[in-house]
Every structure is written in C-alpha cells, then in structure tokens.
C-alpha cells in the first residue's frame, strides 16, 4: 500500500489477523498504529494521550510505532479533503488505531465525520466500558456500582442518514408514497414535514448481539441486556429484541440462556459460567441505570438508544471527560473518546485528556496488553486521588491542584514510572 502524504514507520511491524478468526490478532511487540489527533481539543488531548500510552507500553517492554494520519481540519490542510483515502487505507491495513474528536464542517458532504468513518470501515459495534475511578466527583451517591459495557450498533437506525428535508420534492414523494400507497396518511400532519427512514436489519442486529455475548463470555460477565423500544416500534426495535433472542437460542450452548429459560427451567439459578440474556424497554432502562445500576453488565442496543444510554451512564462516573470508547468491526478496531471537539478550548492546554487515554486502554486490552492497560488505569486513579487534576475535576474538589492537559499527562507518566 502506498500513501501520498503520510509516512509508514519503517521499524514497526503489522498486526495480523489470526488464521480463520476475524476477531483475534497476532500482535508483534512493536506494532504500527495509526492515530488521528482530532479537531478542536484533539490537538491537545491527542499528543497527551500518545505520551501516556507510550509510557505504559514501554514500561512493559513493548513499543508502539505511531503513524499519524488525518481527518477533519488537519486533513483539509494536508489533502483538501475531510476524510482522505490515505486515512481509511491506513486503518484498513494496520487493523488497530485510535482517533480524537472530529468536527464536521458545514457543507462538508457528511452529516458526521465520526459516523462516516465508522460506516466506511464497517465498524459496526461502538463499545463503551463505563466504570468508576476512585476519587472522581460524581452526581450520584454510589458511582462505584457502575461497571457496565455498552454495545451500540453503529451502522443502522436513524443514523443511517436516510432522510429528506421538509419542503423538498424528495420529501413530498416519500410522503405521497407513505400516505397513499401504504395507507398512513392519517399519521402525517398537514404542511411541511421532514421524513426519515429507520432501518434495522437481522444481519446488523445479530452481528452486534453476537459481539456483545462473546464479550460477556470472554470477560466473565453475567448478563447481556437488549435495550429497545419494541413496545412501540414493533417491526424495527421489536425485531432487534427478537433477533437478539434468536442468536441466544440458535448459536450458543447451555452457558448462554434467555431470562425466561432461566426461570422456567432453572428456577432463576444460573451457574457461574452462564450468561443470561434479557431485555428492557429503553425509557425504563434510563431509570434502571440509576436505581439498579449494579444489576447490569453488558448492554446491546440499536444506534440511537445506545447513544442516549451510554452518555447517561457516563454522567454517573464523572462525565464525558473520563468516558472512553472504541469502534469494532470484523478485523478492525478504532478507539475514540466519547466527548466532542469543544473548539472554544482548543490550544489552551486545559481540557481533560483522560477520555482519550482511557480509550487507548481499551486498545491495549484489545491487543492483549492488559499489564500496560492496568498500569495506566492505576496511574490515572492515583492522580485523581492525589487531586492533581484538570479544571473540570478541580472545580468539584476541595483543595485540589489544577493542572493543564500536558501537565496532567506528566503526572500520569510519573505515576506509571514509579509503579512499574
């Protein structure tokens, strides 16, 4: 593969897929990893996260050969394109990467650069581990009860972008078809109307639910909860739930069962190695996150529900500044923080880099480097407990020391080096 404006590190090695397995990797000790710093505050948190990840990896005798690639504002400067082929090709070729937040400019041809990247690379599972870091200020009384991983379908639902603006010829054509051909005229009010289509497929649902169940089995999680609004949207979100239960019944053995089977055949008693699949209505699940937090392990959701639920869960452990995420497909992985680009803070060396650092932790775990991942987690927790934190946390703590983005990275690196 040749690239126009980026250089491939000559000393690094490629990550290879294991033979016959689209989810397992053969990882060298010095892999080449593409990185997008991102827009807005990405120019601050990207380099800071890279330094922390380097420290954690090097402390365990390994090395990452970073390959900087571009999207968003930086790509427009280098390529006159928001999402150049070089960037997509790098993530395809090197299998595992990380990106910061991106801003979609007006008139860019994309509704969202983040969504476009996920769709172009078929990164169909957005995965967000949500867990509490000791000492972090939180709006809830017992944030430590939150230890949950959400699997959000990334390619379908209303995020597919199939919609038409009110007043356009296309919207009127769809309206006429829906009203006259499909007999739903009474469901649409008079006057201008925007119309969208919500596709949820058996294929997209089953591969997402399969990924969530596999994760639960691999990580010793007890439950997978299908979160949907199938009581109202019966043929889309209701189908999501039905297809999820089909995966449970048809593709797994006795160690993966539905909640109904658990009670009908096992009197509610599950063996230690059993994953129980259940479902909850989405609006009720928002309440359950607060009132029964510790009862949920893994959530599997359509795209829009996943967006709402994962952000709400992140609020309970301190906010989006510390909420990590990643996008997974078959044979591809791109870590990314949950927060946006916050352009008004760009270049101020002010914002919290924890979300991007912790997203890098997910990447290290995906590579099988749990020792480096744990070093980084412990170092961040130590910084929080020592109250040497960025402004978003400092303002919520008594007697805390406010540090900038790069200085916080220095604090975390010091802790890594002292604990290694």
């Amino acid at each position: 593969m040749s690239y126009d404006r980026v250089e491939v590190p000559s000393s690094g090695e490629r990550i290879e897929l294991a033979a016959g397995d689209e989810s397992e990797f053969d990882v060298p000790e010095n892999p080449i990893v593409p990185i997008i710093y991102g827009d807005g505050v990405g120019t601050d948190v990207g380099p800071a996260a890279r330094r922390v990840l380097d420290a954690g990896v090097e402390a365990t005798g390994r090395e990452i050969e970073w390959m900087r690639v571009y999207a968003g504002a930086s790509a427009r400067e280098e390529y006159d394109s928001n999402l150049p082929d070089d960037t997509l090709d790098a993530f395809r070729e090197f299998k595992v990467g990380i990106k910061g937040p991106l801003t979609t400019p007006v008139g860019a041809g994309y509704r969202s650069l983040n969504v476009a990247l996920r769709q172009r690379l078929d990164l169909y599972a957005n995965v967000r581990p949500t867990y509490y870091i000791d000492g972090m200020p939180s709006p809830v009384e017992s944030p430590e009860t939150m230890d949950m991983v959400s699997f959000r379908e990334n390619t379908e639902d209303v995020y597919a972008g199939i919609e038409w603006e009110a007043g356009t010829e296309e919207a009127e054509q769809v309206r006429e078809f829906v009203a006259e051909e499909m007999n739903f005229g009474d469901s649409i009010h008079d006057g201008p109307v925007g119309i969208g289509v919500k596709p949820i497929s058996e294929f997209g649902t089953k591969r997402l639910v399969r990924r969530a169940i596999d994760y639960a089995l691999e990580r010793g999680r007890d439950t997978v909860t299908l979160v949907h609004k199938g009581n109202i949207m019966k043929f889309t979100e209701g189908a999501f739930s039905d297809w999820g239960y089909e995966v449970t019944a048809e593709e797994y053995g006795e160690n993966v069962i539905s909640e109904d089977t658990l009670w009908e055949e096992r009197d509610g008693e599950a063996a230690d190695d059993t994953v129980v699949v259940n479902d909850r209505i989405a609006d009720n699940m928002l309440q359950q996150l607060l009132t029964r937090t510790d009862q949920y392990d893994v959530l599997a959701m359509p795209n829009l529900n996943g967006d709402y639920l994962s952000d709400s869960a992140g609020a309970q452990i301190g906010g989006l500044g510390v909420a990590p995420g990643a996008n997974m497909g078959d044979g591809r992985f791109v870590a990314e923080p949950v927060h946006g680009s916050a352009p008004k803070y760009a270049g101020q060396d002010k914002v919290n880099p924890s979300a991007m650092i912790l997203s890098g932790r997910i990447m290290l775990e995906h590579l099988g480097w749990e020792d480096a991942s744990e070093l980084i987690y412990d170092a961040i927790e130590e910084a929080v407990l020592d109250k040497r934190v960025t402004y978003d946390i400092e303002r919520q703590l008594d007697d805390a020391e406010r540090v900038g983005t790069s200085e916080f990275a220095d604090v975390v690196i010091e802790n890594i080096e002292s604990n290694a």
Side-chain angles (χ1 to χ4, degrees), residues 70-293:
Y70 303 89
S74 63
R76 292 194 296 278
E77 294 174 3
E78 293 285 333
Y79 291 85
D80 194 28
S81 169
N82 289 291
L83 190 56
D85 289 340
D86 277 357
T87 297
L88 295 169
D89 290 341
F91 284 122
R92 291 186 183 109
E93 182 174 357
F94 297 104
K95 308 294 188 299
V96 173
I98 184 171
K99 61 172 286 295
L102 296 175
T103 301
T104 303
V106 175
Y110 299 101
R111 285 177 172 82
S112 164
L113 282 177
N114 293 312
V115 172
L117 184 66
R118 296 166 191 168
Q119 291 179 339
R120 295 280 294 276
L121 296 175
D122 198 25
L123 301 168
Y124 59 82
N126 180 254
V127 183
R128 296 185 182 181
T130 308
Y131 50 83
Y132 180 64
I133 295 173
D134 196 15
M136 190 71 66
S138 165
V140 300
E141 184 174 314
S142 302
E144 69 279 357
T145 60
M146 171 65 73
D147 183 12
M148 187 189 73
V149 184
S150 63
F151 279 72
R152 167 191 173 192
E153 204 289 320
N154 242 351
T155 65
E156 299 189 315
D157 203 355
V158 292
Y159 284 73
I162 308 171
E163 60 177 358
W164 298 272
E165 185 179 0
T168 62
E169 181 180 349
E170 292 83 1
E172 288 306 309
Q173 289 176 347
V174 177
R175 177 182 188 155
E176 181 178 343
F177 173 77
V178 171
E180 298 182 7
E181 299 293 329
M182 305 303 294
N183 299 316
F184 281 99
D186 293 341
S187 300
I188 304 177
H189 293 296
D190 293 335
V193 58
I195 298 179
V197 176
K198 178 187 177 74
I200 291 184
S201 70
E202 179 181 9
F203 172 78
T205 297
K206 286 189 172 181
R207 67 177 180 174
L208 184 279
V209 173
R210 193 178 295 120
R211 192 104 194 195
I213 292 173
D214 288 346
Y215 181 95
L217 289 168
E218 292 165 3
R219 303 301 179 96
R221 297 277 182 161
D222 294 331
T223 63
V224 173
T225 301
L226 311 172
V227 184
H228 61 94
K229 192 64 178 172
N231 57 329
I232 303 298
M233 292 171 276
K234 300 182 186 301
F235 306 128
T236 51
E237 299 208 9
F240 179 91
S241 177
D242 292 342
W243 287 324
Y245 279 122
E246 284 183 13
V247 170
T248 302
E250 297 172 1
E251 300 184 18
Y252 294 89
E254 292 185 356
N255 59 337
V256 179
I257 61 173
S258 70
E259 188 173 51
D260 287 345
T261 300
L262 178 70
W263 287 100
E264 291 170 1
E265 299 181 6
R266 306 190 187 184
D267 296 324
E269 296 294 329
D272 291 341
D273 60 349
T274 298
V275 172
V276 177
V277 178
N278 54 34
D279 72 285
R280 299 291 184 268
I281 299 300
D283 49 343
N284 179 52
M285 190 65 215
L286 283 165
Q287 174 180 273
Q288 300 269 328
L289 281 180
L290 286 167
T291 61
R292 300 184 180 183
T293 309

Side-chain angles (χ1 to χ4, degrees), residues 366-420:
H366 193 68
L367 296 175
W369 295 356
E370 283 83 1
D371 49 355
S373 171
E374 286 307 305
L375 270 176
I376 292 169
Y377 173 85
D378 291 343
I380 289 178
E381 184 174 66
E382 185 176 345
V384 174
L385 289 171
D386 289 342
K387 298 186 178 182
R388 301 175 68 189
V389 291
T390 50
Y391 84 100
D392 56 318
I393 302 173
E394 179 267 343
R395 64 188 178 182
Q396 301 179 67
L397 297 173
D398 294 329
D399 302 319
E401 176 188 352
R402 178 181 295 196
V403 298
T405 307
S406 56
E407 190 177 358
F408 182 79
D410 291 338
V411 171
V412 176
I413 290 169
E414 290 173 10
N415 293 340
I416 290 171
E417 293 173 347
S418 64
N419 295 335

Side-chain angles (χ1 to χ4, degrees), residues 1-3 6-10 12-17 25-28 30-35 65-69 86-98 121 331-334 363 366-367:
M1 181 72 67
S2 62
Y3 299 91
V6 294
E7 295 183 2
V8 180
S10 58
E13 296 183 38
R14 284 164 171 74
I15 297 169
E16 302 291 344
L17 286 173
F25 295 96
D26 181 12
V27 182
N30 60 335
I32 299 170
V33 175
I35 183 171
E65 294 288 350
W66 297 101
M67 177 184 178
R68 189 176 176 192
V69 294
D86 277 357
T87 297
L88 295 169
D89 290 341
F91 284 122
R92 291 186 183 109
E93 182 174 357
F94 297 104
K95 308 294 188 299
V96 173
I98 184 171
L121 296 175
R332 298 192 186 107
F333 175 101
V334 180
M363 182 183 75
H366 193 68
L367 296 175

